Amino acid sequence: MISTVLGGIGLLMYGIETMKDSLEWLTQEQGQKLLSLSGKSTLKAILVGFILTIINQKSSATTVTVVGMVNAGMLSLVQATGVIMGANIGTTVTAQILAFRLEWLSLFIVGIAVMFWRVSDTKTGETLSKALLGLGLMFVGLSFVKDGMLQVAELDVTKQLLNLCEAPGLGICLVIAFAGFLLTAVARSSSLITGIMIGMAMAGIMPIEIAIPLIAGANLGKCVPALQNSRGTSRTARQVAVIHFLFNLFGAFLLLFFFRNLLADALEWVAPNALTHQIAHAHTIFNLGTTVICLPFIGFFAKTSERLVPKDKDAAADQSNLDVRMLETPGLALAQSYNEIIALTRTALGSYQMAFQSIKGQEDKIWDRL
């Protein structure tokens, strides 16, 4: 039972990451072009973030690109917030795909992907075949997760836990949400946690009343890697990560305290007796609803992030536009290098002017400033 569950989770994780990494590589050049179309419209920024993340299925890649464009002066902080909101919605497509339960087609997909990989003689063809292979392995892993969870469902402790969590109150929902937060922070993938939940639903041990707080916690937990990766970066990068966390926290608060029962009833009406689709829809509705509710307050989130993220004490560090992660996107790396050269040139010119004035006027105060 343990080996089946762990093996299934491993295959599911590998399939998700392989598919996402391959799609990210295939679309990395188009990402910057698409983001440049967002203009000054917040709605366009959300739509661009949504489309881009549907294409590459990796909201973290979209976030990194957005941070680079903000640092390069190509996007404002408000526009970046809109793009990230759209990326939150786009990343839910993975769960929607898994909800269709195509595990019966998984081995066929894997076979086609491997044959396509063998005959392909281009990098693009190989990467496309890897994306298809990841898709197939996702469903293979999901099948094993389901088989393992069917054995877990027979355990007495599982039945006791399900009875305990039947019609959970706010306290239990908060505990479940915290568990989802921790699991996603460790796994660094909300898609993986949602996939495991779908596998558990296929085995009949994931009622929607438990799934909803888990989804709220998972969407909050996926912000942790971005917060961790923003340490040591520019202030703008940290602000983007904080904004991402803030509106997911706001959405989780609203869902758990006000809308969880309403959402459960709505999902039962939309997809009766289809737990896998209910979980996928809950994931999508959470991100879509949070975006709609937070849309009028984008400026507020941007200003709040400015207060929560203090300016660097070292002014030189705050002026840096360089981010080594942007080397994966040459266009953004060049734009950041251009801005950095301009900043260094201005600093050198200012130092030269101050030194000249100090020598010409014999002013010690100016010399001390150097």
Side-chain angles (χ1 to χ4, degrees):
M1 179 184 67
I2 295 176
S3 62
T4 302
V5 173
L6 288 180
I9 292 174
L11 284 171
L12 180 62
M13 177 185 292
Y14 182 76
I16 290 174
E17 293 304 317
T18 299
M19 183 188 72
K20 290 187 174 185
D21 289 342
S22 300
L23 291 174
E24 179 189 359
W25 187 90
L26 289 170
T27 60
Q28 60 182 353
E29 294 183 359
Q30 289 75 25
Q32 182 183 346
K33 297 179 182 178
L34 189 60
L35 287 170
S36 64
L37 298 176
S38 60
K40 297 183 179 180
S41 171
T42 303
L43 290 176
K44 283 185 179 179
I46 293 174
L47 181 61
V48 166
F50 172 69
I51 294 174
L52 181 58
T53 310
I54 281 183
I55 295 173
N56 63 26
Q57 276 304 293
K58 204 167 186 179
S59 59
S60 59
T62 303
T63 302
V64 169
T65 304
V66 165
V67 169
M69 295 186 73
V70 172
N71 284 341
M74 302 168 69
L75 285 178
S76 68
L77 189 60
V78 173
Q79 286 174 286
T81 304
V83 173
I84 292 174
M85 285 181 171
N88 258 15
I89 303 173
T91 196
T92 63
V93 172
T94 302
Q96 293 289 352
I97 294 173
L98 289 172
F100 281 100
R101 301 185 59 174
L102 299 177
E103 59 270 15
W104 58 274
L105 196 59
S106 58
L107 295 179
F108 175 78
I109 296 175
V110 171
I112 293 295
V114 172
M115 287 189 289
F116 185 57
W117 171 71
R118 291 294 295 173
V119 301
S120 177
D121 56 356
T122 64
K123 179 65 175 178
T124 300
E126 291 180 1
T127 307
L128 187 59
S129 66
K130 286 182 180 179
L132 190 61
L133 176 64
L135 177 64
L137 290 177
M138 280 168 48
F139 288 108
V140 173
L142 187 62
S143 178
F144 279 106
V145 171
K146 179 195 69 174
D147 292 340
M149 290 300 173
L150 285 173
Q151 301 176 55
V152 174
E154 299 299 324
L155 299 177
D156 291 336
V157 64
T158 304
K159 297 176 181 178
Q160 293 174 2
L161 286 174
L162 289 175
N163 290 332
L164 179 64
C165 295
E166 186 177 356
L170 178 59
I172 294 179
C173 285
L174 291 175
V175 172
I176 295 173
F178 183 69
F181 168 80
L182 290 179
L183 289 172
T184 308
V186 172
R188 303 176 71 88
S189 173
S190 61
S191 297
L192 173 64
I193 301 303
T194 308
I196 295 173
M197 292 167 59
I198 289 175
M200 296 175 69
M202 293 164 63
I205 56 174
M206 181 52 64
I208 194 61
E209 291 81 9
I210 298 177
I212 288 175
L214 269 176
I215 288 171
N219 278 278
L220 195 58
K222 73 180 180 183
C223 302
V224 172
L227 290 170
Q228 292 176 336
N229 293 335
S230 67
R231 295 177 62 184
T233 60
S234 67
R235 185 181 182 228
T236 303
R238 298 196 299 274
Q239 283 182 258
V240 171
V242 167
I243 289 173
H244 191 196
F245 179 80
L246 284 176
F247 70 74
N248 275 289
L249 177 63
F250 184 65
F253 173 80
L254 290 179
L255 177 63
L256 293 175
F257 283 84
F258 300 104
F259 297 115
R260 69 178 191 278
N261 294 327
L262 179 63
L263 179 59
D265 294 338
L267 291 171
E268 181 61 35
W269 179 77
V270 172
N273 302 319
L275 272 176
T276 57
H277 287 288
Q278 288 181 17
I279 292 173
H281 293 339
H283 193 198
T284 301
I285 291 172
F286 172 85
N287 288 283
L288 180 61
T290 301
T291 298
V292 172
I293 293 173
C294 294
L295 182 59
F297 306 104
I298 285 183
F300 170 77
F301 284 114
K303 291 181 180 179
T304 303
S305 70
E306 292 179 355
R307 296 180 180 178
L308 294 177
V309 181
K311 293 183 178 180
D312 293 332
K313 295 180 180 179
D314 186 358
D318 194 48
Q319 292 175 357
S320 177
N321 292 301
L322 299 180
D323 187 346
V324 68
R325 293 171 295 181
M326 290 301 104
L327 291 174
E328 299 179 3
T329 311
L332 292 179
L334 287 173
Q336 287 188 330
S337 300
Y338 175 77
N339 283 358
E340 187 67 12
I341 291 172
I342 292 177
L344 290 174
T345 302
R346 289 175 176 171
T347 301
L349 179 60
S351 298
Y352 167 76
Q353 291 174 340
M354 291 172 63
F356 181 79
Q357 292 175 5
S358 175
I359 295 173
K360 181 179 178 180
Q362 297 295 319
E363 297 182 19
D364 294 336
K365 292 182 179 181
I366 297 180
W367 180 259
D368 293 338
R369 291 168 58 188
L370 293 171

